[in-house]
Amino acid sequence: MKLTIFTDGGARGNPGPAGIGVVVLDELAHVVFEHSAYLGKATNNEAEYRAFQASLDWLLSSTHLDQATHISWKLDSMLVVEQLQRHWKIKEPHLKLLADQIWQKLDQLQIPYTIGHVPRAENKDADALVNQALDAHRP
């Protein structure tokens, strides 16, 4: 079974109140997992990393991993995609720490995976979950 994981993170202000969204689809495009969370104050880039991290934490603890033959992550943050693929340097120490944690967990995967960029319009379900988390925590 192939899994496609869409992740998104965002902040209202940069930094500002931030949230994440994760949507996981099976190969028939059925939703097998959704997650929305409020992070508190964070930058957009930190929220993007934390969304990816949340999806990876779910995957590593999920029974779906046992059945998966390939994992395809889809993000609308070109920066995070390129940095996680080690194509671009990570200058901010807190983002480097998150990336290091993610790489350690990715090393645990015993199946092929890809991390790719998609236009924002193709990531609308994860984006909606980000906004859901942010709207639920408005003052």
Side-chain angles (χ1 to χ4, degrees), residues 3-139:
L3 293 177
T4 303
I5 303 175
F6 292 88
T7 69
D8 198 17
R12 293 183 178 158
N14 199 22
I20 62 170
V22 176
V23 178
V24 181
L25 305 176
D26 65 13
E27 55 197 20
L28 300 175
H30 295 127
V31 175
V32 297
F33 178 74
E34 284 185 328
H35 176 65
S36 177
Y38 180 74
L39 300 178
K41 187 176 181 180
T43 65
N44 283 316
N45 291 337
E46 182 180 357
E48 292 279 3
Y49 269 99
R50 299 265 308 269
F52 189 96
Q53 191 172 43
S55 74
L56 186 54
D57 289 344
W58 169 81
L59 180 64
L60 290 171
S61 66
S62 169
T63 58
H64 288 87
L65 182 58
D66 297 335
Q67 303 164 14
T69 57
H70 186 270
I71 309 296
S72 178
W73 271 277
K74 306 287 186 182
L75 291 72
D76 61 22
S77 170
M78 180 70 77
L79 177 84
V80 175
V81 169
E82 293 295 329
Q83 288 179 337
L84 286 178
Q85 291 178 344
R86 302 176 193 258
H87 296 161
W88 293 358
K89 184 176 179 178
I90 304 171
K91 297 177 185 175
E92 297 83 4
H94 68 288
L95 296 182
K96 178 73 166 93
L97 178 62
L98 288 171
D100 286 340
Q101 293 168 352
I102 288 168
W103 289 325
Q104 288 176 1
K105 290 177 183 179
L106 286 170
D107 286 344
Q108 296 175 34
L109 292 178
Q110 301 297 310
I111 57 173
Y113 66 87
T114 57
I115 302 170
H117 178 261
V118 294
R120 179 170 283 163
E122 291 181 30
N123 205 19
K124 64 184 182 319
D125 293 336
D127 180 67
L129 291 172
V130 171
N131 286 304
Q132 177 182 310
L134 291 171
D135 291 345
H137 286 84
R138 278 197 178 159

